[in-house]
DNA sequence: ACACGCCGTCGATACGCTTCGTCGATACGC
DNA sequence: GCGTATCGACGAAGCGTATCGACGGCGTGT
């Protein structure tokens, strides 16, 4: 492996000049720069990351703390991971995976060893054992998710409250006066990921404004639970029923349950789901969905942390940013008055 | 951040002694070791990764090259990523993500910068542009997937051929004499990921031995294509039909298509799918599935590369390992002779 | 034509660790 | 009793880069 010394030798300059050509921190004449660049090219020189980190106290690596593989959400998780990694590269950083099974110590370890310059925490719960550590660390930390007490923390998340509002608005505008809202899996709710309550708050607020009746029923991953929840809604609905299922798996099971009852989205029942755009198109009736824009959330998370890194700010920061959710209209929402007529 | 010098000072020993306590490469008396360990504990000392890498020429980081986010497989991809990261930690290594959108240069970069000691490549295709680079790199590389020419490469993958055999065996043993095999998505097939043909080979071999008729039909992610494929199979099947769907999304659409034709797995049609164990249980009729054991494949990939790293072998290696697939019997396969009687 | 200033380059040092050579102290043999 | 082998700890030399101070050469002003 060639070193910057080798490059300097080949270009006939001092090692420090090579360094300055690379960093641009001092003016270099056009002529010598060309020489150095040619030598770099020819030797396929890459600066040694370890040495660079040692001397500059910057690793250009961001630690990404991924949650403990909970079977649920695997697909959406990967979407975050993948776009975080891509975005990081655009900002000249790499991503190091920190798995949660190492526990909270993992965070201390990677920061202590100075393997990375900062951390992004995914799936932050309302009360998260990682929060005290996040606050105590002397490196920038960005949370994806909003804990109950976000003081001294930098947070970014999808705007679940807005998502709830939009979904209710949409169904109300179509003419539904009663709407069933199927909750997340109990595992998620118990984990206190407070986006659940933010979403609910959004739906309630919109319902109040619009004079619509909301039925919040439990979700789950088994057919039995969802069946009961669906029946509950059906019993209390006059006319064509409407459902909002903000979670992927729950939505999937809801659709099967409806199908078993002879209900077809877009024909005699309205459904707003949450599949990814690609998936939503694959249903017999393309599904109208809430889009929480995970890629955008990921992008912002990286941008924020890179900003903090560049500004080199030492002290604790505090900020909270929400990425607006959107509703994509496909074909699974009906106008109940019209449906009745047919 | 405390350094090993600080630890040495606190323990009243030389800095090099601290290093030897940590590495164990030289004998240290019980007494001084205790002192040093106490100082480490008290100062919460973590060795600086950059300095360590610089001096030892070992980063203890493995680069994981993830494919260019192809909407498909997100969930299964994450399963690999997650278990690779966990396993790596058990071997005292970390995982650095290398996204494919950086192109083949990404590999050269991370190795050139000596950010990592070795690479794991995921989703290796039959003819993969990364292969020449993999061969030319002077660090260990492990491929997940089997390229057409595996010479000078270290490969690990699920045993798709065995999976094909098992699936056909299973349906044949149940009494089916005609079996429809729905292929992967065209995108996958075109990518020349040769596990497709390995799977097909396995099915054909088993079919030949058992005197069973196989109908290989095209897969896809749209209902139209799968519908045609299903009809093709139904037309050529006498009695109860049987299907094998080795890919998750295709399987999902197959089930919807069958449902629309009044066919229910476990009642009047046999299906062997490929959902993850958790998902398979969620169907109205729990689905019998092929399990390719991705976590096991991941685990082996890490073990192999760590082995290569420890042995410090310079020259190129060559090996090929297959993780046996299994079939999990649930309730979606019927005995057609009995079904007829009912 | 001379002094001064600025741009562009060089040399040296520090970053924190691993590792090799060395040396003091203890335990043993004769 | 002294010399020798052994164990344990020390000091110093890099590893490859960033960065600071210094310095030489050019151009500018008079």
């Amino acid at each position: 492996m060639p070193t910057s010394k080798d490059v300097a030798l080949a270009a006939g300059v001092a090692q420090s000049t090579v360094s300055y050509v690379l960093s641009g921190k001092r003016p270099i004449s056009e002529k010598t720069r060309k020489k150095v660049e040619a030598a770099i090219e020819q030797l396929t020189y890459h600066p040694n990351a370890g040495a660079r980190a040692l001397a500059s106290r910057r690793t250009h690596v961001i630690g990404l703390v991924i949650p403990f593989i909970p079977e649920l959400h695997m697909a959406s998780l990967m979407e975050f991971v993948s776009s975080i990694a891509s975005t990081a590269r655009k900002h000249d950083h790499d991503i190091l995976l920190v798995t949660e099974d190492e526990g909270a110590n993992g965070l201390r370890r990677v920061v202590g060893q100075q393997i990375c310059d900062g951390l992004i925490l995914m799936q932050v719960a309302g009360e998260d054992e990682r929060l005290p550590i996040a606050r105590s660390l002397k490196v920038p930390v960005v949370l994806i998710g909003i804990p109950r007490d976000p003081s001294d923390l930098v947070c970014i998340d999808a705007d679940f409250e807005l998502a709830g509002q939009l979904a209710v608005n949409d169904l109300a505008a179509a003419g539904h006066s009663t709407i069933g809202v199927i909750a997340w899996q109990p595992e998620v709710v118990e984990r206190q990921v407070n986006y659940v309550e933010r979403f609910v708050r959004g739906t309630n607020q919109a319902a109040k404004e619009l004079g619509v009746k909301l039925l919040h029923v439990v979700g789950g991953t088994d057919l039995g639970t969802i069946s009961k929840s669906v029946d509950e809604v059906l019993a209390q609905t006059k006319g064509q029923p409407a459902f909002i299922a903000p979670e992927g798996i729950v939505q999937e099971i809801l659709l099967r349950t409806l199908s078993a009852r002879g209900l077809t989205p877009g024909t005699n029942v309205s459904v707003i789901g949450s599949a990814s755009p690609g998936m939503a198109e694959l249903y017999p009736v393309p599904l109208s969905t809430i889009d929480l824009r995970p890629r955008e959330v990921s992008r912002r998370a990286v941008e924020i942390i890179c900003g903090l890194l560049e500004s080199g700010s030492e002290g604790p920061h505090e900020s909270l940013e929400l990425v607006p959710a959107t509703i994509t209209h496909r074909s699974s929402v009906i106008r109940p008055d019209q449906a009745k007529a047919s």
Side-chain angles (χ1 to χ4, degrees), chain A:
Chain A
M1 291 283 179
T3 71
S4 60
K5 210 148 97 183
D6 298 328
V7 174
L9 201 66
V13 299
Q15 180 267 325
S16 55
T17 303
V18 176
S19 181
Y20 285 121
V21 167
L22 251 23
S23 71
K25 296 200 176 176
R26 282 207 184 167
I28 298 287
S29 72
E30 187 68 16
K31 204 179 72 184
T32 52
R33 185 189 307 140
K34 291 283 186 206
K35 279 195 300 184
V36 171
E37 280 167 356
I40 288 176
E41 181 81 10
Q42 194 201 328
L43 298 176
T44 65
Y45 163 75
H46 292 273
N48 179 296
R52 186 201 277 263
L54 183 57
S56 69
R57 321 189 131 275
R58 277 304 205 72
T59 64
H60 282 232
V61 169
I62 297 167
L64 177 62
V65 184
I66 58 177
F68 183 60
I69 44 161
E71 179 78 43
L72 34 113
H73 298 308
M74 282 293 207
S76 101
L77 239 176
M78 189 64 212
E79 198 147 357
F80 278 100
V81 171
S82 164
S83 33
I84 286 175
S86 286
T87 311
R89 276 311 303 152
K90 289 182 188 135
H91 293 257
D92 193 29
H93 282 261
D94 278 293
I95 292 295
L96 188 91
L97 285 180
V98 182
T99 55
E100 197 110 302
D101 51 356
E102 205 181 338
N105 290 332
L107 312 199
R108 289 214 192 78
R109 182 180 64 82
V110 292
V111 172
Q113 292 189 156
Q114 299 176 60
I115 291 186
C116 49
D117 299 331
L119 292 177
I120 296 177
L121 307 198
M122 295 185 63
Q123 287 266 156
V124 173
E127 304 288 343
D128 202 302
E129 56 160 0
R130 299 170 296 182
L131 296 185
I133 302 176
R135 273 187 259 256
S136 72
L137 292 176
K138 302 235 177 52
V139 300
V141 178
V142 170
L143 315 188
I144 298 183
I146 316 286
R148 192 161 63 179
D149 172 16
S151 62
D152 292 335
L153 294 171
V154 177
C155 309
I156 171 101
D157 203 356
D159 192 339
F160 283 85
E161 192 164 341
L162 177 60
Q165 288 176 25
L166 291 175
V168 170
N169 282 352
D170 218 57
L171 291 172
H176 290 281
S177 56
T178 305
I179 299 169
V181 181
I182 316 246
W184 270 258
Q185 302 176 41
E187 294 89 332
V188 174
V189 175
E190 279 157 21
R191 204 183 158 181
Q192 298 211 45
V193 275
N194 68 357
Y195 54 72
V196 173
E197 63 187 70
R198 283 187 279 142
F199 184 84
V200 169
R201 195 186 313 143
T203 58
N204 285 339
Q205 188 183 322
K208 192 171 158 195
E209 284 173 11
L210 300 167
V212 168
K213 183 176 167 199
L214 246 43
L215 302 169
H216 292 282
V217 293
V218 301
T221 52
D222 58 310
L223 287 161
T225 310
I226 301 278
S227 288
K228 254 171 59 184
S229 293
V230 167
D231 290 338
E232 209 174 306
V233 173
L234 295 181
Q236 298 193 45
T237 305
K238 291 185 287 265
Q240 313 292 333
F243 290 91
I244 301 174
E247 178 177 21
I249 297 180
V250 171
Q251 162 218 294
E252 180 65 28
I253 300 172
L254 166 67
L255 291 177
R256 286 188 205 145
T257 307
L258 292 176
S259 163
R261 279 168 181 60
L263 293 170
T264 307
T267 301
N268 46 14
V269 59
S270 287
V271 174
I272 293 186
S274 58
S276 71
M279 283 295 138
E281 299 286 356
L282 296 181
Y283 290 92
V285 178
L287 200 64
S288 297
T289 53
I290 299 162
D291 185 354
L292 295 164
R293 301 166 71 205
R295 311 193 78 85
E296 182 69 11
V297 174
S298 305
R299 196 175 64 75
R300 286 297 300 147
V302 173
E303 285 174 0
I304 291 170
I305 200 166
C306 286
L308 292 173
L309 288 173
E310 274 175 34
S311 75
S313 50
E314 285 293 321
H317 278 254
E318 178 171 338
S319 72
L320 200 160
E321 183 176 326
L322 296 174
V323 173
T326 62
I327 297 269
T328 305
H329 299 93
R330 294 196 182 80
S331 321
S332 61
V333 173
I334 52 171
R335 303 193 68 84
D337 38 0
Q338 299 181 355
K340 253 181 206 168
S342 75

